[in-house]
Amino acid sequence: MAVNEAAVGKRYPATTYAVGREKIREYAHATFEQDPLHLDLEAARRAGYRDLVAPPMFCVVYSAPALAPAILDPEVGIDFARMVHGAQEFRWGPLVVAGDEVSTEVTVKAVEERDGKGFFVFESVSTNQDGHTVCVGTWTNIVRGS
């Protein structure tokens, strides 16, 4: 499978996600999170947080709007019908809590062909309203050859 490496290094405009209390609760229920920090405002405040704490994998919720334009960019060249999810890796910073505004930027880190498949690696960097990096994600998508 031929790949076009010209998009490596391309950056996409940041998206901002306002983290809502009910969205955290909905995500926690959907993923069977039991920790009261995600569900009980008083428990979160007793633990020293100003509001509900987002589960770590909530990063997918605030990162996805920034990642979509990169994956769908014709210059990157992903054949969406042949794409499978390859891997995700995350490094977390300070916890995200309800009321935060998280800005995420995405960069194309690598595009390469291996064993007849295209490997497309993106990096997302999410920063809260105080300028702290709350999550860095590495997202690998694999496109099967024809």
Side-chain angles (χ1 to χ4, degrees), residues 14-54:
T15 63
T16 300
Y17 184 92
V19 180
R21 183 183 296 156
E22 293 311 315
K23 188 59 84 176
I24 289 174
R25 282 193 179 114
E26 291 167 1
Y27 184 89
H29 286 301
T31 57
F32 304 104
E33 289 283 351
Q34 302 290 316
D35 190 326
L37 294 179
H38 311 308
L39 300 165
D40 181 341
L41 181 58
E42 292 309 314
R45 287 184 173 158
R46 279 193 306 274
Y49 300 100
R50 70 174 189 278
D51 214 304
L52 294 182
V53 176

Side-chain angles (χ1 to χ4, degrees), residues 1 9 29 36 44 48 58-61 71 84 88 145:
M1 170 184 183
H29 286 301
F58 191 80
C59 65
V60 174
V61 174
I71 290 174
V84 295
Q88 293 174 324

